[in-house]
Amino acid sequence: MDYRVWIICFFIFVATICLLAASGLMYRPKNIVLCTTLTVLALGLRVWCLPHVTLDYENFLSTWIQFFRDNGGVFALKYSVGNYNVPYLYFLSLFSYSDMYGLYQIKLLSIFFDVILAWAGMKLVSVFTQDIGKRIFAFFGILFLPTVVLNGAYWGQCDSIYTAFAVLALWLALRDKPVISMICFAVSFGFKLQAIFLLPVIAVLWYRGKFSLWHALIFPAAYLVLVLPAVLLGRPFLDTLTLYLSQTGSVGSGLNYNSPSMFAFFLHDGNVKFWSIFGIAAAAVFLAAVLMWLYKKRGSVNDEVVFTAALLFAVAIPYLLPHMHDRYFFGADVLSLLFAAAFPKLFFVPILCQFASLLGYHAYLKGRYLFPMSYGATALIVVIVVLIAFIIYHFPAQRRRKRCT
């Protein structure tokens, strides 16, 4: 293996230890040993996954890096390349300047953001508990979460990037840092359209008093700055801003792509157009109903409700939408683990989410179904019901009534 891989892995190891130490998780000798050992194991597992090549890399990512290599590196950003938004293409264009194996560069980038995601998740959990054990569990729970390991280090995907910024944004908002939070939400959206599953929590944070209306202006401004380098290099301005809109026609004709969505129950129904409209309408109605309900209860919205609502959106929106893929519940997987770290009595929530997502991962990576995807869809129904019940229970007035009875 290229010696540069080991150098980068050592840098990621040092960065991980520094983040843990700065967060106050390594002030005791036993914690130092525990965190160092777990970090080595987490990175070692990822190094073991590095050589695996998937069709996504062979057919798409490798050709995009080669395109940048053949057309002037970053100057090729003026062209329409691939189906990722320009922030991720910035990295691919930079990778083209190195003779290092592109697969390793792509995966090491995702591994680095796995660590950022783990740190952001740990900080989010710290809003609800200062318990050292729970915070360490949150950090390493993310690093060892099967879908997190498989997504980046094995599959070569980059979902940890947009999710890391989304989790950071949620933590910063709850810590009363609205400007930086909104910037992080915009960056998350800039990397992947799937961030839209989490963005409705901005409205709930507004109910909570964490955002003012003028903070909404930060989002488009930050997004504009994010894509501006590509525009300055010659990429059409309007096409760059509306990239996601132009991709809506390329989602595919299938109702479900190895996803534990509700359409796992309708795989053999040929009326794709009807069910697509039905799913979009169902997602819109569900989202509007939850937001209206929480708006009416806005005086009772607390941090617990905000966190649970974020997880609910991350599960329910892709669950109801058509054309969802196997990886689209990545944000739900991560938030469910953090949810269990903050509220251990609901430990089964991430188990159900992992079960559902891993069915899709197995289908893609192994080329066959371990169980029908409808099993995963059933598991997520349980999660959605539990989360709604949890929100109701955590309204302050509801909890006061329970204590009085």
Side-chain angles (χ1 to χ4, degrees), residues 127-370:
V127 173
F128 304 95
T129 177
Q130 288 299 309
D131 183 84
I132 297 293
K134 291 180 181 179
R135 292 163 63 200
I136 290 176
F137 171 80
F139 189 96
F140 288 104
I142 294 298
L143 286 185
F144 285 100
L145 198 65
T147 49
V148 172
V149 175
L150 290 172
N151 187 280
Y154 191 79
W155 197 337
Q157 296 294 335
C158 61
D159 296 275
S160 62
I161 301 179
Y162 87 85
T163 309
F165 281 106
V167 174
L168 271 173
L170 185 56
W171 167 60
L172 289 166
L174 292 176
R175 284 304 189 202
D176 297 314
K177 299 182 185 298
V179 174
I180 305 176
S181 172
M182 193 63 80
I183 292 173
C184 286
F185 273 124
V187 173
S188 176
F189 179 73
F191 273 97
K192 268 291 186 73
L193 178 59
Q194 285 74 49
I196 202 169
F197 302 148
L198 295 170
L199 292 184
V201 78
I202 293 174
V204 186
L205 287 162
W206 174 54
Y207 304 160
R208 180 75 173 114
K210 300 299 182 180
F211 287 126
S212 300
L213 288 177
W214 76 268
H215 287 128
L217 300 175
I218 297 173
F219 189 100
Y223 183 80
L224 179 62
V225 171
L226 191 64
V227 302
L228 192 59
V231 174
L232 294 176
L233 287 167
R235 193 178 179 108
F237 178 71
L238 187 59
D239 290 350
T240 303
L241 286 184
T242 60
L243 176 67
Y244 288 145
L245 291 177
S246 65
Q247 290 179 348
T248 56
S250 61
V251 294
S253 59
L255 284 172
N256 183 289
Y257 294 93
N258 300 324
S259 166
S261 73
M262 71 172 182
F263 292 100
F265 297 111
F266 305 105
L267 288 177
H268 304 293
D269 193 301
N271 198 340
V272 174
K273 184 177 181 180
F274 169 80
W275 286 114
S276 295
I277 295 172
F278 175 84
I280 294 170
V285 169
F286 176 85
L287 178 59
V290 172
L291 290 178
M292 288 176 63
W293 172 47
L294 293 178
Y295 180 76
K296 290 181 179 180
K297 296 279 189 177
R298 61 189 180 279
S300 297
V301 170
N302 53 24
D303 290 350
E304 288 85 355
V305 171
V306 171
F307 187 12
T308 314
L311 176 54
L312 178 62
F313 295 143
V315 176
I317 294 177
Y319 185 83
L320 295 171
L321 286 173
H323 315 302
M324 295 294 99
H325 289 248
D326 28 42
R327 295 176 288 104
Y328 286 8
F329 288 88
F330 186 87
D333 294 341
V334 169
L335 286 176
S336 67
L337 187 282
L338 301 175
F339 185 76
F343 311 107
K345 290 183 179 179
L346 296 178
F347 67 91
F348 59 88
V349 169
I351 294 174
L352 292 174
C353 288
Q354 279 296 285
F355 170 73
S357 285
L358 285 173
L359 290 182
Y361 277 56
H362 185 277
Y364 175 83
L365 295 172
K366 295 297 184 182
R368 59 184 175 85
Y369 289 105
L370 181 64

Side-chain angles (χ1 to χ4, degrees), residues 42-77:
L43 293 179
L45 177 61
R46 284 163 167 79
V47 170
W48 179 77
C49 292
L50 282 180
H52 180 76
V53 181
T54 65
L55 291 176
D56 281 349
Y57 176 75
E58 290 183 332
N59 295 338
F60 303 107
L61 293 167
S62 63
T63 61
W64 298 342
I65 292 177
Q66 190 60 45
F67 179 88
F68 283 113
R69 188 171 287 129
D70 295 339
N71 292 276
V74 296
F75 296 100
L77 286 166

